[in-house]
Amino acid sequence: MSVGVVDNTHGCCHGLQHESGLLIDRREPISESAFVELVLWRVPQPVRGSTHVYTYRLAHVVGGVDELLATFNAEIARWNDENRDS
């Protein structure tokens, strides 16, 4: 399974409406075991660390959501184990 993340901080989405709120909520299948998903919101002001007025969730998932969640949970357990004394 692989998950890819894309950063849209370099001036995308010009010409979209000027209101706050959800702009795009799209999931596109690539194959029987893979999809890409984009959710894009316009916000009243830039979120911390950003210079544009958009926030987004973008993922490329191969192997399915169940596998993604299992990998995520395993990574949380690993991190907790490695940082037990923190």
Side-chain angles (χ1 to χ4, degrees), residues 8 12-17 19-28 36-43 53-59:
N8 76 337
C12 84
C13 309
H14 295 290
L16 292 174
Q17 63 185 347
E19 300 172 6
S20 296
L22 182 66
L23 299 173
I24 299 171
D25 185 356
R26 183 177 303 152
R27 179 182 286 195
E28 297 289 333
V36 294
E37 182 175 76
L38 169 63
V39 181
L40 176 68
W41 297 268
R42 181 173 172 82
V43 292
V53 292
Y54 302 100
T55 186
Y56 59 89
R57 180 176 69 235
L58 179 58

Side-chain angles (χ1 to χ4, degrees), residues 30-51:
I30 297 172
S31 70
E32 288 189 24
S33 63
F35 65 88
V36 294
E37 182 175 76
L38 169 63
V39 181
L40 176 68
W41 297 268
R42 181 173 172 82
V43 292
Q45 58 189 10
V47 296
R48 185 174 21 158
S50 183
T51 59

